[in-house]
Amino acid sequence: MSDVHIKSAEELALMRESGRLLASVFAHLDPLIKEGLSTMEINDLAEAFIVDKLNARPASKGQYGFPYVLNTSVNQVVCHGMPSETHKLKAGDIVNVDITLEKNGYIADSSKMYLIGDVSPIARRLVDETYQAMWKGIQAVKPGATLGDIGHAIQQHARDKGYSVVRDYCGHGIGQEMHEGPQVLHFGVPGKGLALKEGMTFTIEPMINQGKAKVKTKRDGWTVVTADKKLSAQWEHTIAVTADGYEVLTLRDEERIQPQATH
């Protein structure tokens, strides 16, 4: 992972545009993701919109040899779920859709949970509290704060709600490269770690488990699942550190109205 790159105003403008376009991909998918749709159909719908409508590049395709445009992580899948033509969404599922987009040389990265049909209160609560945990981390971002402040805010919220934080995967710096410095852990000690500076850009993307934090990777080499087979949820945004706080570069329209309620 490369060193931390402080973005100029011009670079931030390009990243802001990539983030805006990525938010529009989710808006396009929102009414389409429903019971009976295969996870590969989600992939194909996103690819067509990114390439044909936005004239942009799906940045995940080909990254580290990954063959698809996005990840679809259903129920006990923590992250990196591979789209499948045979895996159709069913009522009660929770699914994370994780998409990246590159425009004019700069990349945005975001993910969102979708609730399919009638979802159990237990699953809905996990999704809601994971979203809140992400926002606790985002709200800790400002110049002079530390990465430990972000991780601690997320970890504290998850623990208070009876959940565990996955430690094997983390957020990351982002810009012209998908993965730049720093690593953004979703657990930590206040005041510890790298101090944040204006112009830093990175993702905050906590993976929160209903049961224990331990995970394992399936034989496909990509799909990560909970070791105890309990549910997992994740939300993600790309963040910029501003002079007095933060800017969410991938903010979706519904979040501008009510930024800390799940949708």
Side-chain angles (χ1 to χ4, degrees), residues 18-251:
S18 294
R20 184 188 71 81
L21 293 177
L22 182 51
S24 77
V25 179
F26 286 99
H28 173 69
L29 293 176
D30 284 348
L32 305 175
I33 295 179
K34 59 184 67 175
E35 185 178 356
L37 194 71
S38 77
T39 54
M40 187 64 78
E41 286 175 308
I42 300 172
N43 177 86
D44 295 346
L45 287 165
E47 182 168 23
F49 189 77
I50 291 170
V51 174
D52 299 335
K53 298 295 185 182
L54 303 181
N55 194 29
R57 180 178 70 88
S60 295
K61 190 172 185 178
Q63 179 88 0
Y64 309 124
F66 188 75
Y68 304 117
V69 167
L70 48 74
N71 297 115
T72 48
S73 301
V74 183
N75 296 333
Q76 78 277 10
V77 178
V78 175
C79 61
H80 302 164
M82 298 185 80
S84 165
E85 293 177 356
T86 59
H87 190 154
K88 295 184 182 296
L89 298 176
K90 62 183 186 298
D93 283 343
I94 59 172
V95 55
N96 177 269
V97 178
D98 188 346
I99 311 174
T100 62
L101 178 150
E102 179 264 315
K103 181 76 172 181
N104 298 320
Y106 286 84
I107 298 171
D109 188 358
S110 183
S111 80
K112 176 178 181 175
M113 294 297 298
Y114 288 87
L115 309 180
I116 308 303
D118 188 16
V119 172
S120 72
I122 290 173
R124 184 177 295 274
R125 180 177 182 268
L126 174 65
V127 170
D128 289 348
E129 297 300 349
T130 301
Y131 187 76
Q132 298 299 333
M134 177 190 67
W135 275 101
K136 294 289 186 183
I138 291 171
Q139 290 166 346
V141 173
K142 62 181 179 180
T146 68
L147 291 176
D149 295 336
I150 297 173
H152 176 75
I154 293 167
Q155 180 183 35
Q156 191 66 47
H157 183 82
R159 283 184 173 176
D160 287 349
K161 301 301 179 180
Y163 300 126
S164 60
V165 177
V166 173
R167 291 174 170 245
D168 303 62
Y169 300 92
C170 62
H172 50 86
I174 189 170
Q176 289 182 292
E177 300 293 334
M178 175 84 77
H179 295 113
E180 301 179 350
Q183 290 189 331
V184 182
L185 303 181
H186 302 117
F187 57 94
V189 178
K192 298 294 185 180
L194 183 70
L196 305 183
K197 296 180 180 179
E198 183 182 0
M200 285 183 178
T201 53
F202 48 80
T203 69
I204 295 177
E205 49 181 298
M207 286 145 271
I208 307 296
N209 289 354
Q210 180 186 34
K212 296 180 179 180
K214 187 177 180 181
V215 301
K216 61 182 182 180
T217 303
K218 297 179 77 171
R219 280 182 286 183
D220 63 16
W222 287 102
T223 307
V224 178
V225 297
T226 56
D228 59 12
K229 300 182 180 180
K230 293 189 176 181
L231 296 175
S232 185
Q234 180 187 20
W235 295 81
E236 176 184 14
H237 272 310
T238 297
I239 312 299
V241 183
T242 64
D244 57 358
Y246 63 86
E247 179 182 356
V248 181
L249 300 176
T250 48
L251 196 69

